[in-house]
Amino acid sequence: MSTHPKIDDTVPHSARIWNHLLGGKDNYPVDRAAGDEIREVFPGMVDIARHSRHMLTRVVGHLVGEAGIRQLLDIGTGLPTVDNTHEVAQRLAPESRIVYVDNDPLVLVHAHALLTSTPEGATDYIEADVRDPDAILAEAAGTLDLDRPVALMLMGILGLVPDYEEARSIVDRLMAALPSGSHLALYDGTDTDPAYVEALARHNSGSGVVPYTPRSPEQIARYFDGLELLEPGVVPVTQWRPEATTWGRVPDVACAGGVARKR
């Protein structure tokens, strides 16, 4: 792992924009400008960021607390924030082993925050691109036992792969390497809200940015083909096993996902 990663603070990066939308401080003016432009066109972007993060917490709680998973491969980690995957998992099962994957040098700078672990468990960080499943699996095998069930987490990352068939191939290749009892958890932005689609179009037209492609709920559901989709299926992130509140149903957002088990 390089100790001197090169960070380009002249071009916005998705992980840092997301950090800004979540209220974090690990970002640069160029990231804040990009995030604010999206939010100006589509104020609901903050809701998507926050509610998708809440879904991640609930998903990890299910995977570890109910499904008994003790190994998690989180690709597209993003910058550390409250209740990172390893923190939620190891609170429930201290022996849990987590491997994070991202390709943003700034995430590497903060990797020490991701690499804390209980004595019984382990965490690791891999600098790699989601488009290279073979490299990810080869490095992850240093921390995870790929002969035992693994939860593959692709939270908000597949929209960064413009070609839909390539995105599906990435999911298929990763899941094919994992044994029966493994789980797939993912969400991505949807094309169900015209204001959100317009905001992303403006973002994507910026110089040097990695474009993000929203997809239909039906396309997101196809990532789970061949797997046992858990209830409630592929739904807006606000509706995936929501916690009871005194405010009633939380409005849907333009981001959908689900969890499935490999038979």
Side-chain angles (χ1 to χ4, degrees):
M1 204 184 309
S2 171
T3 56
H4 300 287
K6 183 178 180 181
I7 298 171
D8 186 350
D9 62 4
T10 66
V11 176
H13 190 283
S14 58
R16 303 193 304 257
I17 294 170
W18 205 246
N19 177 265
H20 170 57
L21 292 170
L22 285 169
K25 300 189 182 304
D26 295 315
N27 46 72
Y28 295 102
V30 67
D31 306 305
R32 295 192 284 276
D36 290 344
E37 181 180 10
I38 294 173
R39 188 163 50 190
E40 182 178 340
V41 177
F42 181 62
M45 192 67 214
V46 172
D47 290 331
I48 289 180
R50 292 175 179 170
H51 285 300
S52 60
R53 187 71 192 183
H54 294 162
M55 179 187 168
L56 181 149
T57 301
R58 298 195 302 275
V59 164
V60 175
H62 168 77
L63 292 169
V64 177
E66 299 177 48
I69 295 291
R70 295 294 181 267
Q71 303 189 108
L72 300 99
L73 179 58
D74 185 347
I75 302 177
T77 305
L79 288 155
T81 183
V82 177
D83 275 347
N84 298 292
T85 297
H86 73 284
E87 294 169 325
V88 177
Q90 292 183 341
R91 275 202 303 268
L92 295 167
E95 70 275 22
S96 297
R97 305 176 75 82
I98 296 90
V99 171
Y100 291 107
V101 183
D102 209 294
N103 69 340
D104 179 11
L106 189 60
V107 178
L108 178 58
V109 169
H110 289 269
H112 64 277
L114 294 169
L115 297 180
T116 58
S117 175
T118 57
E120 304 95 323
T123 64
D124 195 8
Y125 174 82
I126 297 170
E127 187 177 12
D129 193 296
V130 68
R131 296 173 183 81
D132 195 352
D134 294 338
I136 290 172
L137 290 165
E139 290 200 53
T143 300
L144 306 179
D145 180 354
L146 301 186
D147 292 325
R148 295 174 52 235
V150 174
L152 171 63
M153 299 173 59
L154 295 163
M155 306 308 232
I157 187 70
L158 293 175
L160 296 173
V161 181
D163 184 85
Y164 177 60
E165 293 307 321
E166 181 184 4
R168 288 194 66 195
S169 174
I170 288 167
V171 176
D172 292 345
R173 289 162 63 190
L174 289 166
M175 288 304 297
L178 304 179
S180 174
S182 293
H183 285 63
L184 169 64
L186 65 80
Y187 62 68
D188 254 310
T190 64
D191 59 5
T192 54
D193 188 322
Y196 176 55
V197 173
E198 171 62 20
L200 287 177
R202 292 196 186 188
H203 166 74
N204 292 346
S205 66
S207 175
V209 302
V210 177
Y212 186 92
T213 304
R215 296 195 162 106
S216 69
E218 293 75 20
Q219 286 177 310
I220 293 172
R222 290 183 64 194
Y223 290 132
F224 298 100
D225 283 357
L227 304 175
E228 179 186 353
L229 191 61
L230 305 186
E231 292 294 336
V234 174
V235 294
V237 293
T238 51
Q239 304 309 325
W240 196 89
R241 304 192 179 189
E243 297 168 348
T245 71
T246 58
W247 305 291
R249 180 184 172 98
V250 177
D252 292 343
V253 296
C255 184
V259 179
R261 182 181 183 276
K262 184 175 180 178
R263 299 181 181 89

